[in-house]
Amino acid sequence: MSTWETSSASASKRVVAVVVAVIALHGVALWLLQSGLLRRAVETVIPAELIAEWVEPPRPKDEPPPPPPPPPSEVRSPVKPTVVAAPQPIAIADATPAPAAPAGVADPPAPLPPLTAAVAPTAPPAPAPTTAAPAPPRVELPSSDADYLQNPKPAYPPLSKRRNEQGRVVMRVLIGVDGLPQKAEIHQSSGYERLDAAAAETVMKWRYVPGKRAGVPEAMWFNVPISFVLQ
């Protein structure tokens, strides 16, 4: 046999051996899978994955800083002890009087006045009916224009005519119970002295109907107007 043949035979044997070994390994692996031994071996060999998570610690709360300690030179005042007052004796009134105490005598109360029947208040008397005030007496003023008196018209002063003086005079005349004028005075002037004088002279010459009060003649003041008008 040649060398080439020898090497080919050995190579074929190696291939067959490798194929048989591979088939055997697959068969063993399949058996291990079915029995669960391979999974256990893998879990044993492959390390478990560690999962780590960073947890941030909680932040401390902001607290105020503590007060500084008192200086060593400060001297604290000592605490005064509480003094509890001793119980005082209580005075108890004794109803029994002392032997030598003077006994007071209380006067009996004065008897109340006898009760009298209440008197009903009487109604005030009815006011007396007031009588109507009497009517004031009727007053009739004097008059100078009666027809039977026949009083003449006042005389017009000639100088006033020439100077064209005109006006109205009101004379206040006191007329007596007999109808005669007793006194005359100017109540309202005309503005001209000659006309006022002529009016005063005229009213003192006239006769009048006297004034009356309750039908009785009475002396009264009476205003007499006199006008001086040029025609």
Side-chain angles (χ1 to χ4, degrees), residues 5-223:
E5 293 178 351
T6 305
S7 59
S8 297
S10 59
S12 299
K13 292 179 180 180
R14 284 195 297 275
V15 170
V16 171
V18 170
V19 171
V20 172
V22 170
I23 293 172
L25 288 175
H26 280 80
V28 172
L30 182 60
W31 178 77
L32 291 176
L33 285 174
Q34 290 180 354
S35 62
L37 295 177
L38 181 61
R39 183 181 299 174
R40 294 177 183 176
V42 171
E43 291 177 358
T44 305
V45 175
I46 299 175
E49 183 179 2
L50 298 179
I51 300 175
E53 182 180 0
W54 174 260
V55 179
E56 185 178 358
R59 296 182 180 180
K61 297 181 179 180
D62 296 336
E63 297 181 358
S73 59
E74 182 180 357
V75 178
R76 296 183 180 179
S77 59
V79 180
K80 295 182 180 181
T82 303
V83 179
V84 180
Q88 301 294 331
I90 301 175
I92 301 175
D94 189 1
T96 304
V105 180
D107 296 335
L112 297 177
L115 297 177
T116 58
V119 180
T122 59
T130 57
T131 57
R138 181 181 177 183
V139 177
E140 299 178 13
L141 297 177
S143 176
S144 64
D145 56 357
D147 294 337
Y148 68 88
L149 296 175
Q150 298 179 356
N151 292 324
K153 293 183 179 180
Y156 211 114
L159 185 57
S160 297
K161 286 184 178 181
R162 290 195 298 268
R163 295 186 177 183
N164 200 21
E165 296 177 353
Q166 302 181 77
R168 183 172 183 267
V169 184
V170 178
M171 299 300 300
R172 188 168 180 263
V173 185
L174 177 60
I175 301 172
V177 294
D178 55 357
L180 296 178
Q182 298 179 1
K183 186 178 180 181
E185 58 187 28
I186 299 175
H187 180 70
Q188 180 180 347
S189 174
S190 64
Y192 300 99
E193 185 178 354
R194 281 179 290 273
L195 297 180
D196 294 345
E201 184 179 356
T202 300
V203 297
M204 289 302 292
K205 293 179 180 179
W206 283 358
R207 293 181 61 87
Y208 303 89
V209 178
K212 297 178 182 179
R213 186 183 299 274
V216 179
E218 182 179 336
M220 293 183 184
W221 286 94
F222 178 60
N223 292 337

